[in-house]
Amino acid sequence: MEFTLWDVLTDLGLLSLLLLVGMVLRARVIFLQRSFMPASIIAGILGLILGPNGFQIIPFSDFIGTYPSVLIAIVFASIPLSSEKFDWRKVMDKVGGFWSYSQIIMLLMWGLGLMFALIFLVPTFHVHDGFGLLLAAGFVGGHGTAAALGDAFQQQGWEEATSLAMTSATIGAIVAIGVGLLLIRSAANKGEANYISRFEELPTEYRTGLLPKEKRTSMGNDTVSSISIDPLVFHLALVLLVATGGYFLSQFGERLFPQLTIPAFSLAFLVGLFLNIMIQKAEVDHYIDKNVVSKVSGSATDILVAFGIASINLTVVAENIVPFSILIIFGILFSYFFYKVVSKNYFQENWFEKGIFTWGWITGAVAMAIALLRIVDPRMESKTLDEYGLAYIPIAPVEIMLITFSPMFILHGRPWLFVTITVGLSILIILFSIRRGWIMIGERENG
């Protein structure tokens, strides 16, 4: 089937319709408000039901499954251009405990998820050796990581990877909120929450997704004159240049080393880092508005999520339903253990708020985590989100390396080496945290 630019336009137009419908449903339907489901996920589910993999009512093209692998390169290209200057010592002194807790749970979900599958699922159900990575890709990674990992495996012949990873991410988002609300209710009844509020007390914009006039803010500042170039086009050009550079580098690397595939998104991140360093050295970084770049990244993420869910192959999911369900249950139990047991002993102060926030992002995404945090800490008095923002700075490069290199370990027959590295690093971080006094076992102050 011939693919033209008009197919791109119609696919985006149809998806835009679903996104607007999703936004209206979120604003009007109480059930969806209580679920905190983003419009992008609602749109994706509608696209899955009504699109080519469902009732075939919406005439998407046959290529909607390829969009996420392109959009993820745009998302990763935006990260360096929207990041603040990093001071390792400052971050570690301020949020070392939150960093180590988050880093450990991320590494273990990647490593133990793969180990669990290699021991129980691969020999029993004869699934792909990389099957266990679907857990971390969907849960701790979200739809963006699911697109990246699925694309990496798909290029090497595992065609089902993308659909399974996207399903994992969608289930993770639902679990994050569904189980998270139950955990909040239980903690409130036990008096473990410090700043709890009811759903009805949340700000209107948080329930409906619509901002009232008095709470609206600017998307960014004009840093160049529209007489020369439109400010949005300027920022979009920078991001697309970086993403394209990552793609060309990926293609060049494949020609040099046919057996080694480095995803375009990870190389786009490196190109973005290089460009950001050059811009700072030239002292022209003040012409880049980080808020605008973040909006470009956020827009690409919303479209990625919707297309990713809409392109899920339900037949593939049905064929793997038993091992896939077992893997998901393992992930839920793993995340619950960290919330219920580890967070209590890790944080001296506000363990519940930090624990429920981490539950949200380790099973769903940061958006789900923020939704749960706004319920338990509506005025953000625990400073959990501030601490996470700082802690994630050193976590981001590790996450990108995990996403980039984990498929390579599998495809080159070294899955157990990947398990050893991730678990080993987790142990080293635990020992380092004990030495620094970040792990607090014993009496705890919860307020």
Side-chain angles (χ1 to χ4, degrees), residues 2 23 51 58-59 62 73 76 79 89 94 171 179 187-188 191 218 223 231 257 285 305 321 325 378 383 393 399 442:
E2 185 182 0
M23 187 188 75
I58 298 179
D62 294 335
F76 275 78
I79 294 174
R89 183 174 298 178
K94 190 170 184 179
I171 292 174
V179 177
S218 172
T223 58
F257 307 100
D285 53 309
V305 169
I321 191 64
S325 299
K383 305 298 181 184
I393 296 173
E399 184 174 22

Side-chain angles (χ1 to χ4, degrees), residues 409-426:
F409 280 94
I410 305 301
L411 296 171
H412 289 85
R414 298 289 187 272
W416 283 106
L417 179 58
F418 180 79
V419 172
T420 302
I421 292 173
T422 50
V423 175
L425 283 175
S426 300

Side-chain angles (χ1 to χ4, degrees), residues 15-189:
L15 189 77
S16 299
L17 173 63
L18 294 179
L19 285 169
L20 293 173
V21 171
M23 187 188 75
V24 172
L25 290 175
R26 170 65 190 273
R28 298 297 181 186
V29 180
I30 297 297
F31 167 75
L32 292 176
Q33 291 178 12
R34 289 183 178 275
S35 72
F36 295 99
M37 199 68 69
S40 57
I41 292 183
I42 298 172
I45 293 173
L46 290 174
L48 178 61
I49 295 172
L50 303 176
N53 296 322
F55 290 103
Q56 301 181 1
I57 296 174
I58 298 179
F60 283 125
S61 73
D62 294 335
F63 300 92
I64 59 170
T66 63
Y67 294 132
S69 60
V70 176
L71 291 166
I72 192 60
I74 296 175
V75 173
F76 275 78
S78 304
I79 294 174
L81 299 177
S82 60
S83 300
E84 300 293 339
K85 292 182 179 179
F86 173 57
D87 185 336
W88 173 271
R89 183 174 298 178
K90 179 182 177 181
V91 170
M92 289 299 100
D93 288 343
K94 190 170 184 179
V95 294
F98 210 160
W99 163 77
S100 63
Y101 177 81
S102 301
Q103 189 68 86
I104 289 167
I105 194 173
M106 172 185 286
L107 286 168
L108 288 180
M109 182 166 281
W110 281 91
L112 296 184
L114 180 60
M115 184 177 73
F116 176 81
L118 289 172
I119 294 174
F120 297 106
L121 303 181
V122 173
T124 304
F125 300 98
H126 306 291
V127 292
H128 193 278
D129 284 351
F131 195 84
L133 296 178
L134 297 173
L135 176 63
F139 273 39
V140 70
H143 289 88
T145 300
L149 194 80
D151 183 59
F153 276 121
Q154 196 167 338
Q155 290 182 28
Q156 300 299 321
W158 187 18
E159 299 291 339
E160 299 85 359
T162 299
S163 287
L164 291 172
M166 284 293 176
T167 303
S168 174
T170 305
I171 292 174
I174 296 171
V175 167
I177 292 297
V179 177
L181 293 175
L182 295 177
L183 296 177
I184 290 172
R185 181 175 299 178
S186 173
N189 292 336

Side-chain angles (χ1 to χ4, degrees), residues 56-377:
Q56 301 181 1
I57 296 174
I58 298 179
F60 283 125
S61 73
D62 294 335
F63 300 92
I64 59 170
T66 63
Y67 294 132
S69 60
V70 176
L71 291 166
I72 192 60
I74 296 175
V75 173
F76 275 78
S78 304
I79 294 174
L81 299 177
S82 60
S83 300
E84 300 293 339
K85 292 182 179 179
F86 173 57
D87 185 336
W88 173 271
R89 183 174 298 178
K90 179 182 177 181
V91 170
M92 289 299 100
D93 288 343
K94 190 170 184 179
V95 294
F98 210 160
W99 163 77
S100 63
Y101 177 81
S102 301
Q103 189 68 86
I104 289 167
I105 194 173
M106 172 185 286
L107 286 168
L108 288 180
M109 182 166 281
W110 281 91
L112 296 184
L114 180 60
M115 184 177 73
F116 176 81
L118 289 172
I119 294 174
F120 297 106
L121 303 181
V122 173
T124 304
F125 300 98
H126 306 291
V127 292
H128 193 278
D129 284 351
F131 195 84
L133 296 178
L134 297 173
L135 176 63
F139 273 39
V140 70
H143 289 88
T145 300
L149 194 80
D151 183 59
F153 276 121
Q154 196 167 338
Q155 290 182 28
Q156 300 299 321
W158 187 18
E159 299 291 339
E160 299 85 359
T162 299
S163 287
L164 291 172
M166 284 293 176
T167 303
S168 174
T170 305
I171 292 174
I174 296 171
V175 167
I177 292 297
V179 177
L181 293 175
L182 295 177
L183 296 177
I184 290 172
R185 181 175 299 178
S186 173
N189 292 336
K190 295 176 182 177
E192 295 175 326
N194 300 300
Y195 319 101
I196 199 78
S197 69
R198 296 184 300 114
F199 173 80
E200 291 76 12
E201 296 173 351
L202 289 174
T204 302
E205 67 273 14
Y206 221 74
R207 290 185 277 117
T208 65
L210 302 176
L211 283 171
K213 290 183 179 180
E214 64 275 9
K215 293 188 177 181
R216 295 173 188 173
T217 57
S218 172
M219 291 174 60
N221 296 313
D222 290 351
T223 58
V224 294
S225 173
S226 58
I227 295 176
S228 172
I229 186 173
D230 185 85
L232 180 58
V233 173
F234 167 67
H235 287 85
L236 186 60
L238 286 173
V239 174
L240 291 178
L241 172 65
V242 171
T244 305
Y247 172 76
F248 281 139
L249 280 178
S250 176
Q251 295 297 302
F252 180 69
E254 285 187 21
R255 285 196 294 270
L256 289 179
F257 307 100
Q259 301 302 318
L260 180 63
T261 301
I262 301 179
F265 74 86
S266 57
L267 292 173
F269 178 82
L270 294 179
V271 173
L273 280 178
F274 175 77
L275 179 61
N276 196 33
I277 292 171
M278 293 298 99
I279 289 172
Q280 290 177 5
K281 285 186 177 296
E283 297 183 350
V284 293
D285 53 309
H286 58 278
Y287 287 110
I288 299 178
D289 190 294
K290 299 183 187 305
N291 288 331
V292 176
V293 177
S294 295
K295 295 300 180 185
V296 172
S297 175
S299 301
T301 301
D302 279 344
I303 299 172
L304 182 155
V305 169
F307 270 133
I309 297 174
S311 62
I312 291 173
N313 189 327
L314 295 175
T315 302
V316 169
V317 177
E319 291 173 351
N320 294 272
I321 191 64
V322 176
F324 188 71
S325 299
I326 295 172
L327 183 66
I328 294 297
I329 292 171
F330 170 77
I332 295 172
L333 294 176
F334 170 84
S335 303
Y336 179 77
F337 172 78
F338 259 79
Y339 159 78
K340 191 67 177 177
V341 178
V342 180
S343 61
K344 283 188 176 183
N345 291 320
Y346 220 102
F347 302 117
Q348 285 279 67
E349 188 176 4
N350 296 318
W351 79 264
F352 168 68
E353 286 74 23
K354 293 174 181 175
I356 199 65
F357 176 86
T358 306
W359 163 269
W361 80 262
I362 210 68
T363 54
V366 176
M368 303 293 102
I370 295 174
L372 293 174
L373 183 64
R374 286 303 298 263
I375 297 174
V376 302
D377 183 13

